[in-house]
Amino acid sequence: MIRKMKRIAMGIMAVIYLTFRPVCVYGKYTFTSISEKQEKSYWCWVATARGIARGEVFVGKTQTDAVIAVKGENVNKGGTVQELESAAEYFAPGKNFSVRYRAFTFNEIVEAIEAGHLVGANWGYYYGSVRNGGHSIFIVGYNSNNGQQTVIYCEPLTGEIVQKNYSDFVRGSEKNYNVRYEQSIYASYK
């Protein structure tokens, strides 16, 4: 019985560690990673909204709660940047979020992180010059060690924390698509 309780306690500690493992950030702040996996296939926008809101306050509401509040029903559909902003404000009542219709520079990401705020980012997927969808993620840290500019972000598809060179983060490619970081969602104080 004691051995079984020890195994249960070790399992609980492992879950806590994996959920709140530290992200190495070189700057004023070191964040504990905030992972957020999207609950449905098109919910990267609401997972990103919940992630950036969790950087501001304790969030007890679920992704489903926010989708119903923003879209009026529980549907597995993508969201606009305005819906992402509304969902973030739903998750963090009394906090304001703003949308910038361009990418944050690396220095702007550093400033936001050091001010204690996570940043949402929307990528557009292009086939040639035609936009064919998008994807939302949220930035939880950065690394500027040895002159490299690395962005640390949560990928809501998997809930994993990923590190990517800033230039690759802004403009990359995936199979059959060019990817562009186009929009930023951030905590603002109007």
Side-chain angles (χ1 to χ4, degrees):
M1 182 66 157
I2 292 176
R3 194 177 274 174
K4 184 176 180 179
M5 290 180 70
K6 283 183 181 179
R7 277 189 290 201
I8 291 171
M10 294 291 280
I12 291 170
M13 288 172 41
V15 167
I16 291 171
Y17 171 76
L18 291 173
T19 302
F20 298 106
R21 63 193 180 276
V23 171
C24 295
V25 179
Y26 296 88
K28 187 174 179 183
Y29 290 90
T30 300
F31 279 96
T32 298
S33 67
I34 297 176
S35 294
E36 186 72 32
K37 186 174 179 181
Q38 61 196 62
E39 293 174 6
K40 295 191 178 178
S41 58
Y42 291 104
W43 282 10
C44 61
W45 64 277
V46 74
T48 294
R50 192 167 190 274
I52 62 175
R54 286 174 61 202
E56 303 297 316
V57 298
F58 170 78
V59 175
K61 299 170 186 168
T62 67
Q63 291 178 27
T64 301
D65 296 334
V67 170
I68 292 169
V70 171
K71 291 195 175 277
E73 60 183 323
N74 184 358
V75 291
N76 185 17
K77 292 185 178 178
T80 66
V81 68
Q82 294 84 10
E83 289 174 323
L84 193 161
E85 178 186 18
S86 295
E89 291 178 350
Y90 171 78
F91 285 126
K95 301 288 182 181
N96 293 312
F97 291 85
S98 293
V99 175
R100 184 181 297 171
Y101 292 91
R102 66 175 179 81
F104 268 21
T105 66
F106 185 76
N107 288 338
E108 289 171 321
I109 290 170
V110 170
E111 288 173 13
I113 296 295
E114 288 191 359
H117 307 293
L118 306 181
V119 177
N122 283 343
W123 286 324
Y125 287 178
Y126 288 84
Y127 185 74
S129 62
V130 177
R131 192 175 195 279
N132 193 13
H135 185 56
S136 299
I137 58 89
F138 59 99
I139 302 167
V140 299
Y142 70 93
N143 182 339
S144 58
N145 199 17
N146 295 329
Q148 295 294 316
Q149 295 180 331
T150 304
V151 176
I152 303 167
Y153 65 95
C154 177
E155 170 52 75
L157 280 171
T158 60
E160 294 177 335
I161 301 299
V162 179
Q163 295 189 38
K164 190 178 273 191
N165 179 283
Y166 177 76
S167 60
D168 293 337
F169 179 80
V170 170
R171 186 171 309 274
S173 65
E174 292 185 10
K175 187 176 181 182
N176 300 325
Y177 291 102
N178 289 318
V179 180
R180 298 181 198 152
Y181 170 20
E182 301 178 313
Q183 301 160 336
S184 306
I185 303 88
Y186 58 98
S188 61
Y189 298 93
K190 302 170 186 174

